[in-house]
Amino acid sequence: MRTHHRTLALVAVAVTLAAAAPAAATPIPFAGTTDQNQALTLSMAANGRKVSLHFAYSVSCASGLAFVDSETVNAPAHPTVRHRRVTAVKFSAQGAGQVQAATASGQQVTGTLDVVVAGDIRLGTGHATGRIEPTIVLSNGDRCTSGGAPIRWRAASAPPAPPKPSR
């Protein structure tokens, strides 16, 4: 038996869980994927106190609709400092935002996104791991989740961006 999924076009407002003043030093970039094979980028402030996570994820709704969305989340982080150097960082945050969507038939619906993100960054190895738990409740009563288990992600430190040429 072949299953057909309708696609829901979703436009979501970026969720900001916490904001902080920009760090004086260059942020540390990471790149990776989720266990849904979606791209993920992470940027950690040099002082280890702020993390910005941009990720894509898939959700399925109770009605049978399925779609991919992407979010950028800024979260406070808690660094571990040894010998005056940040060696590891943990972060965990939860936030909500409004979404506006169009069903395959063109019907406009609004909804609420509730997302939980968490992660561990190990600077000694240059690796980061974590989880993402999105839940979307649409105004038509449809509930959309990523499934029963959180979305797991892995990332590794990315090479720094090349400097911009001066004019």
Side-chain angles (χ1 to χ4, degrees):
M1 180 175 186
R2 191 171 178 180
T3 305
H4 294 280
H5 293 283
R6 289 185 278 171
T7 303
L8 177 69
L10 182 69
V11 178
V13 175
V15 177
T16 300
L17 302 176
T26 305
I28 301 168
F30 290 79
T33 58
T34 68
D35 59 6
Q36 294 181 335
N37 292 320
Q38 300 289 337
L40 174 133
T41 58
L42 181 143
S43 179
M44 182 191 80
N47 64 8
R49 296 193 181 279
K50 179 183 171 189
V51 172
S52 180
L53 188 67
H54 179 76
F55 54 91
Y57 60 93
S58 299
V59 292
S60 297
C61 303
S63 67
L65 295 172
F67 58 91
V68 175
D69 187 27
S70 65
E71 294 295 331
T72 298
V73 175
N74 296 313
H78 307 285
T80 299
V81 178
R82 292 200 176 123
H83 305 291
R84 300 165 87 169
R85 297 183 77 186
V86 175
T87 58
V89 174
K90 289 185 178 289
F91 65 94
S92 177
Q94 180 174 0
Q98 296 297 311
V99 297
Q100 196 171 38
T103 64
S105 66
Q107 176 189 8
Q108 293 294 314
V109 291
T110 58
T112 302
L113 165 68
D114 182 36
V115 64
V116 176
V117 297
D120 293 309
I121 302 169
R122 300 282 177 216
L123 295 170
T125 63
H127 291 94
T129 59
R131 65 183 168 78
I132 302 166
E133 298 177 55
T135 303
I136 297 173
V137 179
L138 299 174
S139 59
N140 63 3
D142 208 1
R143 182 184 160 119
C144 314
T145 67
S146 61
I151 300 167
R152 298 288 177 187
W153 59 267
R154 300 179 72 76
S157 57
K164 294 182 181 180
S166 60
R167 292 186 172 197

